[in-house]
Amino acid sequence: DVKVTQSSRYLVKRTGEKVFLECVQDMDHENMFWYRQDPGLGLRLIYFSYDVKMKEKGDIPEGYSVSREKKERFSLILESASTNQTSMYLCASSSDRPLYEQYFGPGTRLTVT
Amino acid sequence: KQEVTQIPAALSVPEGENLVLNCSFTDSAIYNLQWFRQDPGKGLTSLLLIQSSQREQTSGRLNASLDKSSGRSTLYIAASQPGDSATYLCAVTGTASKLTFGTGTRLQVTL
């Protein structure tokens, strides 16, 4: 079974702090994704990566950056956390052609105070 | 830009009923369509994936169909149980392996 793990289930940070969210997958997938999920807005793509050291902006990249130094690990970085970044953050990985099936981690509930 | 719509937004049914959840999308150029389940406060669990060349997929009491030309998919749940209560999301994979999600259908199965 594919397993995607995220470093924390719950996280509380203060405004202005630098925040790291870590995601690890164990299926040698090429593609990895970071989403945030908010009530009424659904899931929105922040960043994704096709390969090590590759990254692409998603729909809402502002205020975030990412790092992919190893194939199995994809990190989301909030350079200076703000209250409007309070959200559920979901990481996913997927195989390449032909299926592109995405598998999700359990999520990190981040609260910025 | 791809848009995915799910109807209804919420549904409550008594245990044992068969039910259908609907998903529509605006751009038929998709690689696949996935149905997910999400329990409150949790991540997404993949239920079924239908490739663009397929018409349907089945897993246990779940059956998903895909009509790519009309931009529609349905998820059929047979003999619903209280444990089926969750939010169901459909998502389509377009270019660059990116998913576009619908806003979900919140299902409650009552005793």
Side-chain angles (χ1 to χ4, degrees):
Chain A
D1 275 354
V2 175
K3 192 166 184 182
V4 180
T5 57
Q6 295 183 228
S7 50
S8 305
R9 289 300 316 276
Y10 301 95
L11 209 52
V12 180
K13 295 292 182 181
R14 294 192 181 273
T15 301
E17 279 193 80
K18 190 169 186 176
V19 181
F20 292 86
L21 302 182
E22 303 283 338
C23 176
V24 177
Q25 51 96 2
D26 67 357
M27 281 301 291
D28 201 36
H29 284 166
E30 291 83 8
N31 308 313
M32 296 188 74
F33 307 82
W34 275 106
Y35 299 87
R36 65 178 282 176
Q37 185 177 30
D38 301 286
L41 296 176
L43 276 100
R44 295 178 290 168
L45 181 64
I46 305 171
Y47 267 97
F48 60 105
S49 168
Y50 293 120
D51 202 349
V52 176
K53 298 192 185 296
M54 302 288 288
K55 60 185 179 184
E56 296 282 345
K57 292 180 180 179
D59 300 319
I60 52 163
E62 297 79 18
Y64 303 94
S65 62
V66 290
S67 172
R68 194 166 180 200
E69 296 296 319
K70 295 185 177 182
K71 191 174 186 179
E72 68 271 18
R73 188 180 298 269
F74 192 36
S75 302
L76 180 70
I77 304 156
L78 287 65
E79 296 289 343
S80 178
S82 64
T83 55
N84 63 11
Q85 293 178 309
T86 292
S87 186
M88 170 70 98
Y89 289 87
L90 293 161
C91 174
S93 70
S94 80
S95 58
D96 220 333
R97 292 174 187 268
L99 288 183
Y100 291 122
E101 185 169 8
Q102 286 204 15
Y103 297 87
F104 281 78
T108 295
R109 169 72 65 184
L110 173 67
T111 302
V112 182
T113 62
Chain B
K1 181 183 174 184
Q2 179 74 270
E3 291 183 3
V4 180
T5 304
Q6 290 187 247
I7 295 173
L11 183 62
S12 181
V13 300
E15 182 180 13
E17 272 204 9
N18 303 324
L19 59 101
V20 175
L21 307 181
N22 297 292
C23 173
S24 61
F25 47 96
T26 55
D27 185 352
S28 62
I30 63 170
Y31 284 107
N32 64 40
L33 184 144
Q34 277 188 263
W35 282 95
F36 295 91
R37 169 189 172 132
Q38 187 176 32
D39 294 291
K42 301 288 180 64
L44 277 66
T45 300
S46 180
L47 297 174
L48 290 164
L49 179 146
I50 311 177
Q51 294 185 65
S52 60
S53 58
Q54 297 175 320
R55 299 285 292 185
E56 65 177 330
Q57 281 286 340
T58 298
S59 176
R61 295 183 293 108
L62 306 180
N63 176 276
S65 67
L66 174 63
D67 184 342
K68 202 173 82 156
S69 61
S70 68
R72 295 180 188 277
S73 175
T74 61
L75 178 67
Y76 175 83
I77 302 177
S80 59
Q81 303 171 357
D84 295 330
S85 298
T87 296
Y88 291 81
L89 296 157
C90 76
V92 296
T93 302
T95 57
S97 74
K98 291 163 57 178
L99 280 179
T100 302
F101 283 87
T103 49
T105 294
R106 191 169 64 253
L107 172 66
Q108 183 174 12
V109 181
T110 57
L111 292 169

